[in-house]
Amino acid sequence: MRTSIATVCLSGGLVQKMYAAAEAGFDAIEIFEPDLIAAPQSPEEIRALASRLGLTLDLYQPFRDAEGVDEAAFGDVLHRAEAKFRLMQRLGMDLMLVCSNVGTATVDDDEVSAGQLRRLSDLAATYGIRLAYEALAWGRFVDDYRRSWRIVELADHPNVGICLDSFHILSRGHDPKQIEDIPAEKIFFLQLADAPALSMDVLSWSRHHRLFPGEGSFDLPAFLGHVLRAGYDGPLSLEVFNDTFRQTDPVRTARQAQRSLRWLADRTAELLGEEAGPLPRLPEVTAPEAFDFVEIKAADTSGVEVLLEQLGFDFGGRHRSKQVRLWTWGSARVVCNDVPSASPEPHIAAVGFDVADSDPAAERAARLMAPPVHRRTYAGEQALRAFTSPDGTEVFLSHAEDWIGEFDGGVSRPDGNAARIDHVNLVQPWHSFDEAVLFYTSVLSLTPQPTQEVAGPAGLVRSQVMSSPAGGVRLPLNLLPNGQQGQAQHFALACRDIIEVVAAARERGLRPLKVPGNYYDDLVARFGLADDLVATLRDLDLLYDRDADGEYLHCYTETVGEVFFELVERRDRYDGYGAGNAPVRLVSQAG
Amino acid sequence: MRTSIATVCLSGGLVQKMYAAAEAGFDAIEIFEPDLIAAPQSPEEIRALASRLGLTLDLYQPFRDAEGVDEAAFGDVLHRAEAKFRLMQRLGMDLMLVCSNVGTATVDDDEVSAGQLRRLSDLAATYGIRLAYEALAWGRFVDDYRRSWRIVELADHPNVGICLDSFHILSRGHDPKQIEDIPAEKIFFLQLADAPALSMDVLSWSRHHRLFPGEGSFDLPAFLGHVLRAGYDGPLSLEVFNDTFRQTDPVRTARQAQRSLRWLADRTAELLGEEAGPLPRLPEVTAPEAFDFVEIKAADTSGVEVLLEQLGFDFGGRHRSKQVRLWTWGSARVVCNDVPSASPEPHIAAVGFDVADSDPAAERAARLMAPPVHRRTYAGEQALRAFTSPDGTEVFLSHAEDWIGEFDGGVSRPDGNAARIDHVNLVQPWHSFDEAVLFYTSVLSLTPQPTQEVAGPAGLVRSQVMSSPAGGVRLPLNLLPNGQQGQAQHFALACRDIIEVVAAARERGLRPLKVPGNYYDDLVARFGLADDLVATLRDLDLLYDRDADGEYLHCYTETVGEVFFELVERRDRYDGYGAGNAPVRLVSQAG
C-alpha cells in the first residue's frame, strides 16, 4: 500500500512540506487548503513540483459545511465547490475531502444530506472528481462514521464515498468493528492519527493533541485491522497536528511520520496473523531485558570516576585504542569516554541495550529510519550497531561479551551486593518527547507506561516510563516544563542491600544528596515506620516509598556536570520509582 | 481584610516563597505541606522567619482522605493527623485544611463523614487546632460545597468549619448564592482562583490552568460578593497554580497575585455598592477610548520614518531636548526615539493611552503595583506618568495636548483620509500573557475579549484582544507558540478609504507585504466578490474579510526590525481583525 501525509502535519511553507514528505519516502500527500492558499506558487507549479518529487496529490482537504443546509445556502455551496473543482483540475487532483457540516447545518435529515451530496457529486463528476465524506467528531448533526456511511449509501453515487479518520472514530469511543461492513470500493480514503488519553472537549483534543500512531493511547493496529479486513487498499495517510510539531523541522517530523506508519503496518500485520502486511514487514525483535552499558562522555570524566569508585564500582580496564575506561559492578557497566572536543560537562552520551543478536535489531532500526551512528573501529574491534535517538542520546544494540575483551587491565572483586542498572532516566526537550516514545516503542519494542506528573520547584515534570515486558529495562523519559533545558540525566543502580551499600560508600567518601529533616517527620506520619528504620534512613539520607506491591529505598548522589546517580533497593514487587519523593529531590538539587 | 497566598502559588523553595509573599505586601500565607517537607529549615525556623517577615501562617494544607472511610482506616487517619497537629504546634499554626476524600473513601454517608470529622475535631481541639473542611470538585463522594456544609453542620463541633474555594465551586457550575446561608463564624477560610473557560476534566483544569482573579472567565466579584454578604471577614487567600508561574520569578508572581486581589476587592465593593471594600478602594478610572501615541525606539529609527512617510504621515516636529521626532496623521501619533544604547532594532517601546486626567489613573496604577517608569524631563516639560507592562512595553497615561507643544518644526496637511490608531498588537512571551491580561484589566479598565487561535507556519498563535467599551482602544495580545520568541509587534492605522491610501502610498514607494495569487482565487470562491474589486485587491495586495457586521480591508507593510504596520478600513460595524487572513500573512512574513 502507499504512504501519504497531510501537509497540515508539517511546519513551514507548502514547498518545504513537499520536499520533506518526499525525502522521508512518502508516496503521496494530502493538500491542506490553507497551505495552498498561502503559497506563492501557482497550482500548476505545485503540480509540477509534486511530479518532480515523485509525490502524487491524493486528497484536497477540507471542503466544509457542504450538506444539511437549506436550498439557498446550498446554491452557495455549489458555487464554492465549483471554484474548488476548477482549482483541483489545475492541480491535477481528483479526490476531495468533504467534512460533515459544523457551522451552517440547519437540517438534521439523512435524506437531505444525501440528496445534497448526490448533487455535489453530479457536479464533481463533470470535473472527474470524487468526494470522500467524513464525519467529524464535532459535526453539528453527523458525528459518527456509521451515520456518514448511511448518508453515502443513500446518496448512492459513484463519485461519493466515505473517508475514515481514526481520531474522529476513536475519540468518540465509536466501535470501529463495523468498518468491516463497508464495501472496500466505497472507502475512498483513510486518515490515521493517535492521541493521548485525555478528558477534554474533542475539538481542542484534536487540534492540540493528535499524535502519530504509536505515540498515544488509541489502539491503532486494531483500527487499521478493521479497515484492512474491509478490503481497503488505498493510501495509508497521516493527518496529525499538535502544538509541538507545528513548529519543529518538517524533515524530522516527516521521518517520524514515516516511522510511525511502518511500525503501525507491521504491528497490524502481526495482529492479523498475516505474513505480508500493508507495508513490507520488519525484522521481529524482542525487547531487550537488560542494559548493556551506559557511556558518560566529557572533556574530562574524572569527577564521574571518583563517584563510581565511591559507589562501589571496580575499574574494568582501559580500551586498547581509545581514551575510554570501563567501570563495572556486578552486571552494571559504565564507560567513561574522554573526548577533548566534547561538551566539557559529563553527560550520558550513549546507552547500550543488551541484544543477543544485533543484526536483525539493527536492520529493524534502519528500516524504521533511525539515524545510524558511525564510530571509528580498528582491526579486531567489534563494530557496534548504534542509532541516534530523538534527544541525541546514542542507542547501542550490543552485547558485553562482544566488546568487553577490548578493555585491558581491569579488576573485579566478588561482591554480594553486585549491582545492575535498574533504570536510565533521560530528560527530553519538549519537542522530542512524543518522538522518543515512538522511537523506543518501534525500534526497541519497549512498552510505554501511563504518564505521571511530578511537581518540582520550577514546574511540573511529565514522566513516562518505557519498559521491557519483564521489567529488566526501564527507561523513564522526563519532559521538562515549558522553556526549561538541560536538567541532569541520571541512571539508577539496583543493589540487594542499600543500607549496607550506602554505609560502605560513605566510608569511601560518598556524600549523598541531603534530605531535609521534615521529610523524615512526614515519613513517620505517613507510613508509621519503626523508629530505628527511620533513624537509619535519616542518617544515610535515604528516601523511602511503599505501595501495595512492596517497598523502595533510594538515594541520589550529587550532580557532576549533567549527570547524577541513584542507588535503589526494590523490596518485594515494588515497580515504581518513588515519584512521591521527586519534589524533595528536585528542591534539594535546586538548593 | 487580610491578604494571603498559598505557597504552592510560587516557585522556588519555601523560604524564597515567604520572602516573595512578604515583599508583595501579603499579610499571611497558607503552608502547602510538600513545600515544608522539602525545606531544609525546621518548623521552628520557618515560624521564626514568618514572624520576622511579618507574615502569619494562616492555613496548613492539605490534609487528605480523612473521612468517609471504614473504622480501621480511620485509626490510621487519626494517627496521621496527630503527627500533623504536633507539627503545626511547632509552626505555631492553628488551622488545617481537610479536603473531601478522593482516594480512600468507601462510605457515602453524611453521618459517617460528620462523625469522623467530629472525632478528628476532638483530637484537633486538644492541640488548639481547628479544621476547615473543603469539598474538592473531584471528591469521591463530597464534591459540592453545599454537601460539605451539611456535613460540617452535622459534625456540629466548634473546631470544624468550612473552607470555600472558588475554583471547586465555579468549575462545577454550582450556584455560589447559597454561600450567603452559611453562618459567618463557620466559614473558616476562603480560597480564590480564577480559570479560563475550558471543557476538560476538572482535575487537569485545576492542576494546569488556574489563574489569578481577573485573568480567567469566572465571575469572581460576584463570588466574593456572596462570601462577604455571608459576613466572612477572614483572610482573602489565593490558591492558584498553573504550568506558567510554577516556573517564573516568585517575587513577580506574588506582585501579580497582590494586584489581582486588590482589583478583585475593588470590583466586588463596586458590585455591592459599598464605599468601603474588603481592601482599600482604588481611584476609579474609566477605560481610555483612544491611543495617544506609539513610540518606536532603536539605535536608528530612520527605516521606520521612511515607512511612515510612505504611508502618509507628516513630520510633526523635533523634541526640544531629546533625540525624538514626532510623526502625525490625523489623530495617529508616532514618536521615533533614537537611543544609541537601545536594542538596535526598531521596536514598539511604549504605548500612550489617552487619559484626560492622568493623576487618578496613575494613582490607581501605583496602587495596583504597576512598576513606574522614570524618564528624565527638563524644566517646562510635562512629566508623563508611565508604568512598565508585563512584557516590558511602557504604558503612558497621557494626553497629547499636554506634551505636543514640546515638538517644534512640524507640518500637518489636511487629509480627507486622516488616520487614527485602530489597534496595537503586542506579542507576549509565554510567561507574561495572563499577567498582561490582568494588567490591562486592572490598570486601564480594559475588557478581555474571548481568545482566538490562529494557525501560522510555525504553530498556533493564541490571541486575546483587550478593548475599551466603545472600541476606541483595541489591544490584541498574541501568545507565541512554545519556545518561540521575538516575533514582530505591529500597530494598525484605520483610514476611510484604504484603496486610495494604498494607491497613494505605492506612488510614494511603499511595497506592501506580498499576498499570493491563490489567496485571491479563494476569495472569489468564498465571498463571490465582484471581479473588479478582486482585481483591485490583487493589484494592491489587500486582504479582505467579511462577516455579518461588515467588511474589513487591510494590508501590511514589510517588517523593519521588530515592527511592522497595518493599514485597515473597517466598513459598517465590522469588529474583528481579519483573523482568517493571519495564516497568509504569517507565511508571507516567514518568506
Side-chain angles (χ1 to χ4, degrees):
Chain A
M1 289 167 74
R2 294 152 46 73
T3 59
S4 163
I5 186 166
T7 55
V8 69
C9 301
L10 304 168
S11 63
L14 181 56
V15 166
Q16 204 183 350
K17 294 167 189 243
M18 291 170 69
Y19 274 98
E23 183 169 331
F26 281 94
D27 303 305
I29 57 173
E30 305 176 23
I31 296 244
F32 179 58
E33 179 173 85
D35 285 329
L36 181 76
I37 290 173
Q41 294 78 16
S42 71
E44 290 78 8
E45 287 169 323
I46 295 300
R47 176 182 190 163
L49 175 64
S51 166
R52 275 206 306 284
L53 292 173
L55 291 172
T56 57
L57 304 178
D58 280 15
L59 184 75
Y60 187 89
Q61 61 115 325
F63 189 77
R64 298 185 196 276
D65 299 338
E67 40 63 49
V69 299
D70 62 36
E71 269 306 299
F74 190 65
D76 288 345
V77 168
L78 289 175
H79 169 82
R80 189 158 54 88
E82 190 154 21
K84 297 302 172 190
F85 295 154
R86 277 197 289 262
L87 175 65
M88 288 174 65
Q89 280 197 321
R90 294 172 63 192
L91 287 160
M93 297 180 71
D94 66 1
L95 185 63
M96 174 192 262
L97 178 76
V98 176
C99 306
S100 63
N101 198 318
V102 169
T104 61
T106 52
V107 189
D108 185 8
D109 184 322
D110 288 356
E111 291 283 356
V112 169
S113 288
Q116 290 175 341
L117 273 190
R118 194 181 311 121
R119 285 154 68 191
L120 200 59
S121 301
D122 278 338
L123 180 62
T126 65
Y127 291 89
I129 284 170
R130 299 180 310 143
L131 308 177
Y133 180 56
E134 173 185 69
L136 297 178
W138 52 89
R140 174 87 175 82
F141 300 123
V142 181
D143 58 8
D144 183 328
Y145 79 94
R146 292 161 292 203
R147 185 161 181 196
S148 56
W149 164 235
R150 196 159 59 238
I151 291 170
V152 167
E153 268 192 302
L154 282 171
D156 190 25
H157 193 291
N159 285 56
V160 68
I162 194 169
C163 173
L164 297 170
D165 180 309
S166 60
F167 182 87
H168 292 296
I169 295 169
L170 300 176
S171 66
R172 297 293 305 265
H174 295 155
D175 183 355
K177 187 161 182 2
Q178 288 155 271
I179 291 171
E180 296 183 22
D181 302 334
I182 305 175
E185 68 277 10
K186 293 305 265 184
I187 306 177
F188 280 11
F189 210 74
L190 172 66
Q191 292 177 320
L192 296 162
D194 202 345
L198 291 173
S199 153
M200 67 194 305
D201 75 279
V202 76
L203 178 57
S204 302
W205 193 14
S206 170
R207 185 174 289 172
H208 298 285
H209 299 286
R210 285 186 178 217
L211 294 171
F212 288 124
E215 296 177 347
S217 301
F218 289 163
D219 188 350
L220 268 301
F223 178 85
L224 181 56
H226 294 303
V227 180
L228 296 179
R229 279 211 203 90
Y232 175 76
D233 64 355
L236 304 175
S237 192
L238 292 162
E239 196 200 15
V240 176
F241 26 87
N242 63 42
D243 291 349
T244 298
F245 59 69
R246 278 207 177 86
Q247 43 183 316
T248 41
D249 172 18
V251 173
R252 179 166 174 168
T253 306
R255 281 208 200 103
Q256 182 184 353
Q258 182 69 227
R259 175 183 300 155
S260 165
L261 272 188
R262 292 182 187 182
W263 168 81
L264 172 61
D266 191 67
R267 287 282 296 129
T268 306
E270 194 180 323
L271 185 77
L272 297 179
E274 287 177 6
E275 205 140 313
L279 299 178
R281 294 297 305 271
L282 302 172
E284 197 179 335
V285 172
T286 53
E289 280 295 353
F291 290 98
D292 191 33
F293 68 90
V294 169
E295 180 190 47
I296 311 276
K297 217 183 237 184
D300 174 6
T301 59
S302 57
V304 172
E305 295 190 301
V306 168
L307 258 188
L308 291 171
E309 194 155 20
Q310 289 172 341
L311 285 168
F313 276 80
D314 290 322
F315 180 65
R318 264 171 218 290
H319 192 270
R320 66 172 78 133
S321 68
K322 298 172 193 155
Q323 276 297 333
V324 171
R325 290 169 306 282
L326 173 67
W327 293 80
T328 65
W329 185 14
S331 69
R333 283 172 289 274
V334 178
V335 168
C336 288
N337 190 349
D338 286 357
V339 182
S341 63
S343 148
E345 296 297 342
H347 61 280
I348 297 181
V351 179
F353 293 87
D354 187 4
V355 175
D357 186 353
S358 65
D359 281 346
E363 167 68 12
R364 179 181 173 94
R367 294 271 299 284
L368 287 163
M369 312 185 81
V373 170
H374 296 289
R375 291 208 185 177
R376 183 185 292 181
T377 50
Y378 296 90
E381 293 175 9
Q382 181 76 15
L384 299 181
R385 308 300 200 91
F387 299 87
T388 304
S389 72
D391 73 352
T393 306
E394 295 175 355
V395 164
F396 280 74
L397 308 169
S398 55
H399 190 58
E401 286 178 17
D402 294 335
W403 56 265
I404 207 160
E406 294 166 20
F407 287 83
D408 300 323
V411 294
S412 183
R413 294 160 303 182
D415 178 353
N417 245 315
R420 56 177 184 76
I421 297 177
D422 183 86
H423 60 275
V424 179
N425 192 308
L426 299 175
V427 177
Q428 301 295 307
W430 63 270
H431 60 269
S432 70
F433 187 86
D434 300 313
E435 191 183 351
V437 171
L438 175 64
F439 180 88
Y440 291 109
T441 297
S442 61
V443 172
L444 287 182
S445 302
L446 298 179
T447 305
Q449 306 302 320
T451 55
Q452 282 203 312
E453 277 172 347
V454 169
L460 289 181
V461 177
R462 182 171 143 212
S463 180
Q464 179 156 33
V465 178
M466 307 293 307
S467 63
S468 60
V473 163
R474 300 160 180 269
L475 201 65
L477 304 176
N478 282 9
L479 175 66
L480 286 183
N482 197 345
Q484 289 188 33
Q485 294 187 325
Q487 194 183 296
Q489 322 262 35
H490 84 272
F491 64 91
L493 299 154
C495 55
R496 261 192 283 280
D497 183 343
I498 193 171
I499 290 171
E500 192 180 296
V501 165
V502 173
R506 287 171 68 113
E507 293 285 315
R508 287 187 293 265
L510 183 80
R511 293 190 316 177
L513 186 73
K514 188 74 196 148
V515 176
N518 299 331
Y519 171 81
Y520 295 101
D521 295 343
D522 180 62
L523 264 194
V524 173
R526 270 199 293 159
F527 295 116
L529 297 182
D531 285 350
D532 59 339
L533 174 57
V534 174
T536 303
L537 297 176
R538 191 189 293 261
D539 184 48
L540 296 176
D541 288 304
L542 289 176
L543 298 156
Y544 178 86
D545 191 27
R546 188 173 73 201
D547 63 18
D549 295 324
E551 293 171 295
Y552 189 63
L553 283 72
H554 59 139
C555 71
Y556 297 93
T557 68
E558 293 184 330
T559 302
V560 180
E562 295 164 9
V563 67
F564 63 95
F565 303 91
E566 182 180 1
L567 283 168
V568 313
E569 179 189 337
R570 293 181 183 275
R571 294 183 175 173
D572 299 320
R573 288 191 311 280
Y574 183 91
D575 197 35
Y577 303 85
N581 296 327
V584 170
R585 165 174 70 84
L586 290 166
V587 170
S588 292
Q589 288 180 326
Chain B
M1 290 168 74
R2 293 152 45 74
T3 59
S4 163
I5 186 166
T7 55
V8 69
C9 301
L10 303 168
S11 61
L14 180 55
V15 165
Q16 204 183 352
K17 294 168 188 244
M18 292 170 70
Y19 274 99
E23 183 169 331
F26 281 94
D27 303 305
I29 57 172
E30 304 176 23
I31 295 246
F32 178 57
E33 180 173 83
D35 284 330
L36 181 77
I37 290 174
Q41 294 78 15
S42 71
E44 290 77 10
E45 288 169 322
I46 295 300
R47 176 184 190 163
L49 175 64
S51 167
R52 276 205 307 284
L53 293 173
L55 291 172
T56 57
L57 306 178
D58 280 15
L59 185 75
Y60 187 89
Q61 62 117 324
F63 188 76
R64 298 185 198 277
D65 299 339
E67 39 65 49
V69 298
D70 61 37
E71 270 306 299
F74 191 65
D76 288 345
V77 168
L78 289 175
H79 169 82
R80 188 157 55 88
E82 190 155 20
K84 297 303 171 188
F85 295 155
R86 278 197 289 262
L87 175 65
M88 288 174 65
Q89 281 197 320
R90 294 173 63 193
L91 287 160
M93 296 181 70
D94 66 0
L95 185 63
M96 173 191 263
L97 178 76
V98 176
C99 306
S100 63
N101 198 318
V102 169
T104 61
T106 52
V107 189
D108 185 9
D109 183 321
D110 289 355
E111 291 282 357
V112 169
S113 288
Q116 291 175 340
L117 273 191
R118 193 181 312 121
R119 285 155 67 194
L120 201 58
S121 302
D122 279 337
L123 179 62
T126 66
Y127 291 88
I129 283 170
R130 298 180 311 143
L131 308 177
Y133 180 55
E134 174 184 68
L136 297 179
W138 51 90
R140 174 86 175 83
F141 299 124
V142 180
D143 58 8
D144 184 327
Y145 79 96
R146 292 160 294 203
R147 185 161 181 196
S148 57
W149 165 235
R150 197 158 58 238
I151 291 170
V152 167
E153 270 191 302
L154 282 172
D156 190 25
H157 192 291
N159 286 56
V160 68
I162 195 170
C163 174
L164 297 170
D165 180 310
S166 61
F167 182 87
H168 292 297
I169 295 169
L170 301 176
S171 67
R172 297 293 305 263
H174 296 154
D175 184 355
K177 189 162 180 1
Q178 288 154 271
I179 291 172
E180 297 182 23
D181 303 333
I182 304 176
E185 68 277 11
K186 293 304 268 186
I187 305 179
F188 279 11
F189 210 73
L190 172 66
Q191 292 177 320
L192 295 162
D194 202 344
L198 290 174
S199 152
M200 67 193 304
D201 75 281
V202 75
L203 179 57
S204 302
W205 193 14
S206 170
R207 185 174 291 171
H208 298 284
H209 299 286
R210 285 186 178 218
L211 294 171
F212 288 123
E215 296 176 348
S217 302
F218 290 163
D219 189 350
L220 268 301
F223 178 86
L224 180 56
H226 294 303
V227 180
L228 296 180
R229 279 211 203 89
Y232 175 76
D233 64 356
L236 303 176
S237 192
L238 292 162
E239 197 200 13
V240 175
F241 27 87
N242 63 42
D243 291 349
T244 297
F245 58 71
R246 277 207 178 88
Q247 43 182 316
T248 42
D249 173 19
V251 173
R252 179 167 174 167
T253 305
R255 281 209 202 104
Q256 182 184 354
Q258 183 69 225
R259 175 182 301 154
S260 165
L261 271 189
R262 293 182 186 183
W263 168 82
L264 172 62
D266 193 67
R267 288 280 298 129
T268 306
E270 194 181 324
L271 186 76
L272 298 178
E274 289 176 4
E275 205 141 308
L279 298 178
R281 294 297 306 271
L282 302 172
E284 197 181 333
V285 172
T286 53
E289 279 295 354
F291 290 99
D292 190 33
F293 67 89
V294 169
E295 180 190 48
I296 312 276
K297 216 183 237 182
D300 174 6
T301 58
S302 58
V304 172
E305 296 190 300
V306 169
L307 259 188
L308 291 171
E309 195 156 19
Q310 289 173 341
L311 284 168
F313 276 80
D314 289 325
F315 181 65
R318 265 171 217 292
H319 192 270
R320 65 172 77 136
S321 69
K322 297 171 193 156
Q323 277 297 334
V324 171
R325 290 169 306 282
L326 173 67
W327 293 81
T328 65
W329 185 15
S331 69
R333 283 173 288 275
V334 178
V335 167
C336 288
N337 190 349
D338 286 357
V339 182
S341 63
S343 148
E345 296 296 341
H347 60 281
I348 297 180
V351 179
F353 294 87
D354 187 4
V355 176
D357 185 354
S358 65
D359 282 346
E363 166 67 13
R364 178 181 174 96
R367 293 271 299 285
L368 287 163
M369 312 185 80
V373 170
H374 296 290
R375 291 207 186 178
R376 183 185 293 182
T377 49
Y378 297 91
E381 293 176 9
Q382 181 76 15
L384 299 180
R385 308 301 200 89
F387 298 88
T388 304
S389 73
D391 73 351
T393 306
E394 295 175 355
V395 164
F396 280 73
L397 307 169
S398 54
H399 189 59
E401 286 178 15
D402 295 335
W403 55 265
I404 207 159
E406 294 166 19
F407 288 83
D408 301 321
V411 293
S412 182
R413 293 159 303 180
D415 178 352
N417 245 316
R420 56 176 184 77
I421 297 176
D422 183 86
H423 61 273
V424 179
N425 191 307
L426 297 175
V427 177
Q428 301 296 308
W430 62 270
H431 59 270
S432 71
F433 187 86
D434 299 314
E435 192 183 352
V437 171
L438 174 64
F439 180 89
Y440 291 108
T441 297
S442 60
V443 172
L444 287 182
S445 303
L446 298 179
T447 306
Q449 307 302 319
T451 55
Q452 282 203 312
E453 277 172 348
V454 169
L460 288 182
V461 177
R462 181 171 144 214
S463 179
Q464 180 156 34
V465 178
M466 307 294 306
S467 63
S468 61
V473 163
R474 300 161 178 268
L475 201 65
L477 304 176
N478 281 9
L479 176 65
L480 286 182
N482 197 345
Q484 288 188 33
Q485 294 187 326
Q487 193 183 296
Q489 322 260 35
H490 83 272
F491 65 91
L493 300 153
C495 55
R496 263 192 283 280
D497 183 344
I498 194 172
I499 290 171
E500 193 179 297
V501 165
V502 172
R506 289 172 67 114
E507 291 286 314
R508 287 187 293 267
L510 183 80
R511 294 189 315 178
L513 187 72
K514 189 72 197 151
V515 176
N518 299 331
Y519 171 80
Y520 296 101
D521 295 342
D522 180 62
L523 265 195
V524 173
R526 271 198 294 159
F527 295 114
L529 298 181
D531 286 350
D532 58 339
L533 175 57
V534 174
T536 304
L537 297 176
R538 190 189 294 261
D539 184 47
L540 297 176
D541 287 304
L542 289 175
L543 298 156
Y544 179 87
D545 191 28
R546 188 174 71 200
D547 64 17
D549 296 323
E551 293 171 295
Y552 190 63
L553 282 73
H554 59 140
C555 71
Y556 297 93
T557 68
E558 293 184 329
T559 302
V560 181
E562 295 164 10
V563 68
F564 62 95
F565 303 90
E566 181 180 2
L567 283 168
V568 313
E569 179 188 337
R570 292 179 183 276
R571 293 182 176 174
D572 300 320
R573 289 190 312 280
Y574 182 92
D575 196 35
Y577 302 85
N581 296 326
V584 170
R585 165 174 70 83
L586 290 165
V587 170
S588 291
Q589 288 180 326

